[in-house]
Amino acid sequence: QVQLQESGPGLVKPSQTLSLTCTVSGGSITASYYYWSWIRQPPGKGLEWIGYITSSGSTTYSPSLKSRTSISRDTSKKQFTLQLSSVTPEDTAVYYCARDNRRPKQADLSRADFRSWGQGTQVTVSS
């Protein structure tokens, strides 16, 4: 079974770049038919899909965040990363990585939309 774990700084200053890494174990990030997503949940709000990278390396981002988002991967380390630039306090959230074999929907997300989840990591944007 696949396991995912997020890591990165828990505090980021406004205008800087948020950078997180998802480390995968028990699976391959190059295996076919998988979408590797970043998702976040701001305090008191629902899940928000950020974007995904496929097993072949193609990326798709939420339109509202596309201009600030970059997802990449390192297959040798079995990791994929999220970079979110020009952050503001509105970007404060718990950030998750997740995997599913279905193309993610971009609205009204629930935990059931992804079969594998990391535990999540809190990121606070503050000076």
Side-chain angles (χ1 to χ4, degrees):
Q1 62 180 22
V2 67
Q3 293 179 311
L4 298 83
Q5 184 171 6
E6 305 89 346
S7 61
L11 181 64
V12 183
K13 295 183 181 299
S15 81
Q16 300 300 306
T17 296
L18 181 159
S19 183
L20 297 173
T21 296
C22 183
T23 300
V24 178
S25 61
S28 173
I29 64 174
T30 59
S32 298
Y33 304 119
Y34 288 119
Y35 300 83
W36 305 83
S37 287
W38 286 100
I39 301 144
R40 69 181 184 180
Q41 186 168 31
K45 299 182 179 180
L47 297 169
E48 179 184 17
W49 177 75
I50 299 169
Y52 67 73
I53 188 165
T54 70
S55 299
S56 61
S58 64
T59 55
T60 301
Y61 306 118
S62 169
S64 64
L65 298 170
K66 182 177 181 179
S67 65
R68 300 194 289 131
T69 304
S70 179
I71 298 174
S72 59
R73 65 177 185 166
D74 186 334
T75 58
S76 66
K77 297 180 179 179
K78 300 184 67 175
Q79 296 176 331
F80 63 103
T81 62
L82 169 69
Q83 292 189 310
L84 184 67
S85 65
S86 303
V87 298
T88 74
E90 297 298 316
D91 295 310
T92 294
V94 177
Y95 284 75
Y96 300 91
C97 55
R99 187 191 78 171
D100 201 83
N101 62 346
R102 301 164 294 184
R103 188 174 67 180
K105 60 182 183 180
Q106 300 186 10
D108 300 320
L109 271 64
S110 68
R111 295 278 298 190
D113 291 321
F114 300 88
R115 295 181 177 179
S116 299
W117 290 79
Q119 82 283 358
T121 186
Q122 173 71 45
V123 178
T124 300
V125 179
S126 176
S127 61

